[in-house]
Amino acid sequence: MTEVLQRIIVGFSPQLFPVLAAVTQPPQNPAALASQLAPVLTAQLQAPLVFAPMPIQDVIDLARFLVHSAIMFSRFSPGPNVVGGPIEIAAITKHENFKWISRKHYYDQSLNREPSHVVVD
């Protein structure tokens, strides 16, 4: 379910090029059209969401937003939900290594002791 993420971040659907190729006269090869237009469209439409010195909490919030957007897009699209369930987030940093931010538990809470910073869904 990458379409919603590509629409949010890049600014256009991956289905754009086959549609444009079909309606141009004479019809063009979608791959050729994509190679010509993708760099221009990306430069003009891409959302500047992520930058290098982004605080870790902003990265966590962005990850949660993108996953939640994909879940909602799948929920309201025709067909089965292909994305869903609790959102699990972990952070990997230079100083703290791997650290769960929020996660689901498969076993009883007493068997899954977590540090106080973890949000349990």
Side-chain angles (χ1 to χ4, degrees):
M1 187 51 56
T2 61
E3 182 170 349
V4 66
L5 301 179
Q6 185 164 350
R7 285 183 177 195
I8 291 172
I9 296 170
V10 180
F12 57 89
S13 171
Q15 299 303 315
L16 177 66
F17 302 114
V19 171
L20 287 177
V23 299
T24 55
Q25 294 299 326
Q28 296 187 21
N29 179 350
L33 195 59
S35 68
Q36 292 173 339
L37 291 178
V40 176
L41 291 173
T42 301
Q44 296 295 316
L45 301 175
Q46 187 168 11
L49 292 178
V50 181
F51 52 95
M54 193 174 212
I56 190 71
Q57 187 60 53
D58 288 351
V59 175
I60 292 166
D61 293 342
L62 177 61
R64 187 175 317 232
F65 164 72
L66 292 173
V67 172
H68 186 262
S69 297
I71 290 170
M72 290 292 106
F73 189 83
S74 173
R75 177 179 171 199
F76 295 109
S77 296
N81 293 340
V82 294
V83 181
I87 298 173
E88 297 183 298
I89 298 176
I92 302 172
T93 62
K94 179 178 173 181
H95 302 289
E96 295 180 297
N97 298 320
F98 181 91
K99 177 172 93 173
W100 281 109
I101 305 302
S102 65
R103 64 179 291 219
K104 61 186 173 198
H105 290 289
Y106 295 100
Y107 304 104
D108 186 67
Q109 270 306 89
S110 64
L111 299 174
N112 284 294
R113 295 185 182 205
E114 291 292 342
S116 61
H117 66 270
V118 176
V119 176
V120 179
D121 291 334

